[in-house]
């Protein structure tokens, strides 16, 4: 399983950004997908999660502002981020769980600054 994140960049506070996580096709529909964020000097933290059945969960800071989704026909997961705040900055990683193993992408950088 290979994961490639994209869509990061510079966004102003209050702005929006959508991240993508493209996965190798092998049974993409099987396994949960999770977005994590790692800010400088901090541990990686969970941002949003979606099961293979489409059930979603969010961190308290993401709830109401971020939306995670997956398109099993495109083998891609998304993280729509709205009303971004400076504390949303960091490297965003996608993780896929597949038959008891975790697979990670290389991450995409998000900077929130005016």
């Amino acid at each position: 399983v290979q994961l490639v994140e994209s869509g990061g960049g510079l966004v102003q506070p209050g702005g929006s950004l959508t991240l993508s996580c493209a996965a190798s096709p092998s049974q993409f529909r099987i396994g949960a997908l999770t977005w994590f964020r790692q800010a400088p000097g901090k541990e990686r933290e969970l941002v949003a999660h979606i099961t293979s059945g489409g059930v979603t969960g969010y961190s308290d800071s993401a709830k109401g502002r971020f939306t995670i989704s997956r398109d099993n026909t495109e083998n891609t997961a998304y993280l729509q981020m709205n009303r971004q705040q400076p504390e949303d900055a960091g490297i965003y990683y996608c993780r896929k769980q597949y038959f008891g193993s975790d697979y990670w992408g290389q991450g995409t950088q998000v900077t929130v600054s005016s």
Side-chain angles (χ1 to χ4, degrees):
V1 176
Q2 292 182 327
L3 304 173
V4 178
E5 300 96 335
S6 61
L10 174 65
V11 61
Q12 292 186 343
S16 298
L17 206 59
T18 299
L19 306 181
S20 300
C21 172
S24 54
S26 55
Q27 297 181 299
F28 176 81
R29 67 188 185 282
I30 297 175
L33 285 157
T34 307
W35 284 98
F36 290 80
R37 173 177 64 236
Q38 187 163 21
K42 295 188 177 181
E43 293 190 355
R44 199 171 293 188
E45 59 178 349
L46 185 149
V47 175
H49 177 83
I50 185 167
T51 68
S52 55
V55 177
T56 60
Y58 299 91
S59 65
D60 287 343
S61 64
K63 206 171 295 182
R65 298 188 299 124
F66 293 6
T67 302
I68 187 172
S69 61
R70 64 191 295 166
D71 185 338
N72 292 335
T73 63
E74 296 291 332
N75 302 322
T76 303
Y78 302 96
L79 184 67
Q80 170 72 42
M81 303 185 291
N82 298 324
R83 304 199 308 277
Q84 290 209 263
Q85 303 166 2
E87 51 266 36
D88 294 331
I91 300 175
Y92 282 71
Y93 297 92
C94 177
R95 182 194 72 184
K96 188 176 194 301
Q97 294 175 299
Y98 186 65
F99 290 110
S101 295
D102 290 346
Y103 299 89
W104 293 86
Q106 83 292 344
T108 185
Q109 177 76 49
V110 172
T111 302
V112 184
S113 175
S114 55

